[in-house]
């Protein structure tokens, strides 16, 4: 498996692109799904979102956009619930 490396500006771009998918009434893509499409682990974007160094290069408005997208994606995830698992009786 080939590993892809992203510089800070690419990470910034992808975070903002992911967040834009959740703008307004739109239901964007999950962090996991977007991360996998980038060719990384399912936790790739999650790590970037929590990385202070990356968040520090975002403007105040960009940080608000990412925070709003995170909140909206978490609400959507809770609404949908966890993946269905087989029931045992």
């Amino acid at each position: 498996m080939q590993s892809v490396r992203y510089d800070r500006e690419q990470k910034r771009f992808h975070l903002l692109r992911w967040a834009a998918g959740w703008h307004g009434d739109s239901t964007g893509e999950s962090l996991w799904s977007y991360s996998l499409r980038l060719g990384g682990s399912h936790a790739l974007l999650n790590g970037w979102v929590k990385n202070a160094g990356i968040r520090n290069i975002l403007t105040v408005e960009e940080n608000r956009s990412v925070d709003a997208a995170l909140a909206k994606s978490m609400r959507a995830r809770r609404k949908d619930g966890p993946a269905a698992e087989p029931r045992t009786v």
Side-chain angles (χ1 to χ4, degrees), residues 21-85:
W22 289 95
H23 183 73
D25 292 334
S26 300
T27 301
E29 189 173 3
S30 73
L31 283 172
W32 280 29
S33 175
Y34 194 97
S35 296
L36 291 173
R37 273 195 315 104
L38 290 178
S41 109
H42 66 278
L44 182 68
L45 248 64
N46 192 40
W48 295 353
V49 164
K50 295 177 181 178
N51 185 311
I54 296 169
R55 294 296 294 260
N56 286 337
I57 66 171
L58 300 178
T59 66
V60 171
E61 216 34 57
E62 290 169 339
N63 269 304
R64 285 183 188 146
S65 176
V66 170
D67 289 340
L70 280 170
K72 194 171 179 183
S73 71
M74 287 294 137
R75 283 192 303 272
R77 184 173 166 209
R78 279 193 299 268
K79 180 181 166 192
D80 292 342
E85 294 183 21

Side-chain angles (χ1 to χ4, degrees), residues 5-33:
R5 304 223 10 123
Y6 295 94
D7 65 29
R8 293 178 82 170
E9 280 303 312
Q10 291 171 318
K11 291 174 184 179
R12 177 181 174 271
F13 168 80
H14 284 294
L15 277 177
L16 296 175
R17 186 172 176 196
W18 170 80
W22 289 95
H23 183 73
D25 292 334
S26 300
T27 301
E29 189 173 3
S30 73
L31 283 172
W32 280 29
S33 175

